[in-house]
Amino acid sequence: MKKRRIVAGVAALGLALSLAACSAGGGRSATGDGGSSTDNKGALVGVAMPTKVSERWIKDGNAVKSDLEKKGYKVDLEYADNKIPQQVQQVSNMITKGAKVLIVASIDGGSLSDQLDAAAKAGIKVISYDRLLTGSKNVDYYVSFDNEKVGVDQATSLLTGLGVLDADGKKTGKKGPFNIEVFAGSPDDNNATFFFNGAMKTLKPYIEDGTIKIGSGQDGFTQAATQQWDPATAKARMQNLVAKSYSGGTTLNGVLSPYDGMSIGIISALQGAGYGTSSRPLPTITGQDAEAASVKSIINDQQYSTIYKDTRKLATESVKMADDLLTGKKPEVNDTKSYDNKVKVVPTYLFQPTVVTKDNYKKVLVDSGYYKESDLQ
């Protein structure tokens, strides 16, 4: 009897080890923890982008898709037309189709919690792309630019355009006061607060010493926020600000705008109010994303600056992360402290932004191959 029990025990142990081996060798989830991962050759990767209205998101989506396909993966690329329910459904469909990794640039960072829960249960890893997914522990990695630095750079370029700082960032001695207005991005985009806070931190000393003045007094994020970064909304607010704060002969000298599309709307409103002539030039106006229309505007002395974020780098890094996750490697990050999504600090890979003006657009944008000279004519 004793011998029979030993034999049975050995057999049971062998079966358990065999099942464990089968489980380890046939696992369908992407591990990404340095362990092995199999069956992911040619896997499906879901790529969710917010909209095609902005030129940059088209570039991002196409670049991510192309890089993934070069590595042999299948790609489900979807754009959500800035409609949250549409993006929710698209991500749900990606999970149902069996995507092994999700790369998500959200419309509203907190709107996909249920989908992220479902992804985690299915063993699907999630990479948050440029816009941080919030309110969920099931966000594995984040790839973006240094978003607070974007705001700092926007404010610094505004001060340079006003002549308060020189090209090296040194004070020129100009005292002003210069009248400015500040705009912020969409309140459902986590990045918008980073941009705004970085900018206002930079402008604060100049507001306090009277060098610059926010004519309307609207200096808070809620007052300055622009839902879905909408150019028409920014234009309408600028028209309202001009009518209320600059109709008595007071001149607007500068506008902190966080996004090129909004800048175009702001410029349109100002031109409608009589700005843009030799006697009443346009204010110094900032932007972000180096969209072709705004680069042309910079060349034509309308918009002063934009922030260039080479989305090719974002695409390359997000694809590298996805590939690492699908092949059992641990993705590289360079920031583990800054991006708290309200539930966890998400491991992040950050790139640095670049200020673009009329003086350097050729070197930064054309010489790098981001645009052809003909694209900007």
Side-chain angles (χ1 to χ4, degrees):
M1 285 293 293
K2 184 175 181 181
K3 183 176 180 180
R4 193 175 297 164
R5 288 194 192 100
I6 291 171
V7 170
V10 170
L13 178 61
L15 178 60
L17 289 172
S18 175
L19 288 171
C22 288
S23 176
R28 294 177 56 83
S29 65
T31 61
D33 56 5
S36 62
S37 179
T38 60
D39 294 342
N40 287 326
K41 184 177 181 180
L44 178 66
V45 179
V47 181
M49 292 285 155
T51 180
K52 281 188 173 181
V53 170
S54 171
E55 173 191 309
R56 71 144 296 189
W57 292 116
I58 298 172
K59 283 179 173 284
D60 285 72
N62 290 339
V64 172
K65 184 175 186 291
S66 175
D67 286 357
L68 283 167
E69 288 176 342
K70 286 176 184 176
K71 289 185 175 292
Y73 297 111
K74 299 181 182 71
V75 182
D76 181 8
L77 169 62
E78 300 290 347
Y79 290 87
D81 301 324
N82 267 333
K83 297 174 182 175
I84 294 171
Q86 188 169 321
Q87 187 166 65
V88 166
Q89 186 60 52
Q90 287 171 345
V91 174
S92 295
N93 290 343
M94 291 171 186
I95 295 169
T96 301
K97 290 176 184 177
K100 299 290 186 71
V101 172
L102 298 176
I103 298 174
V104 180
S106 63
I107 299 168
D108 178 340
S111 66
L112 294 168
S113 294
D114 289 346
Q115 286 65 42
L116 298 181
D117 288 346
K121 289 177 182 177
I124 301 167
K125 295 295 184 180
V126 176
I127 299 168
S128 187
Y129 186 96
D130 203 32
R131 295 178 173 181
L132 184 62
L133 291 160
T134 58
S136 174
K137 65 181 180 179
N138 301 311
V139 183
D140 297 287
Y141 292 94
Y142 179 41
V143 57
S144 188
F145 282 80
D146 187 334
N147 294 311
E148 182 173 345
K149 181 67 162 47
V150 169
V152 170
D153 286 351
Q154 287 174 332
T156 301
S157 71
L158 176 63
L159 293 167
T160 303
L162 290 170
V164 176
L165 300 178
D166 64 19
D168 297 320
K170 296 178 182 178
K171 292 183 179 180
T172 63
K174 285 191 175 182
K175 298 297 183 183
F178 296 98
N179 296 304
I180 71 165
E181 292 298 333
V182 296
F183 284 70
S186 189
D188 53 15
D189 182 346
N190 189 70
N191 288 356
T193 54
F194 277 92
F195 300 150
F196 189 76
N197 291 341
M200 294 306 291
K201 179 177 70 174
T202 304
L203 295 176
K204 184 178 179 182
Y206 300 93
I207 295 172
E208 290 178 342
D209 70 13
T211 302
I212 59 176
K213 176 185 176 182
I214 298 176
S216 67
Q218 296 182 17
D219 59 356
F221 178 82
T222 302
Q223 295 168 307
T226 308
Q227 189 67 41
Q228 293 189 347
W229 306 86
D230 181 48
T233 302
K235 178 179 179 178
R237 178 169 179 255
M238 188 75 261
Q239 289 171 326
N240 188 51
L241 290 172
V242 169
K244 288 186 174 181
S245 302
Y246 301 94
S247 59
T250 304
T251 298
L252 178 63
N253 305 114
V255 181
L256 177 79
S257 170
Y259 161 55
D260 284 347
M262 289 169 56
S263 305
I264 295 295
I266 289 165
I267 290 169
S268 177
L270 289 167
Q271 289 174 328
Y275 286 85
T277 65
S278 57
S279 60
R280 201 180 193 196
L282 283 163
T284 297
I285 301 169
T286 64
Q288 179 179 190
D289 286 341
E291 294 189 347
S294 280
V295 178
K296 292 177 185 178
S297 181
I298 289 169
I299 295 169
N300 292 323
D301 296 316
Q302 295 174 325
Q303 187 171 320
Y304 175 73
S305 66
T306 187
I307 300 297
Y308 169 54
K309 303 191 301 186
D310 190 343
T311 55
R312 296 170 299 184
K313 292 181 179 179
L314 285 186
T316 298
E317 192 59 35
S318 68
V319 170
K320 185 175 182 295
M321 281 183 172
D323 187 51
D324 284 344
L325 289 166
L326 290 165
T327 56
K329 300 173 187 174
K330 188 170 184 178
E332 179 185 0
V333 298
N334 59 14
D335 187 301
T336 57
K337 297 179 180 179
S338 302
Y339 291 92
D340 187 337
N341 79 346
K342 302 176 185 176
V343 176
K344 66 183 283 190
V345 176
V346 182
T348 300
Y349 196 99
L350 290 180
F351 293 98
Q352 294 302 311
T354 304
V355 177
V356 171
T357 65
K358 188 174 182 178
D359 291 335
N360 71 347
Y361 83 90
K362 285 186 179 180
K363 180 179 178 181
V364 176
L365 301 176
V366 178
D367 293 352
S368 70
Y370 193 76
Y371 286 121
K372 297 176 183 177
E373 188 73 57
S374 58
D375 295 330
L376 305 176
Q377 294 175 351

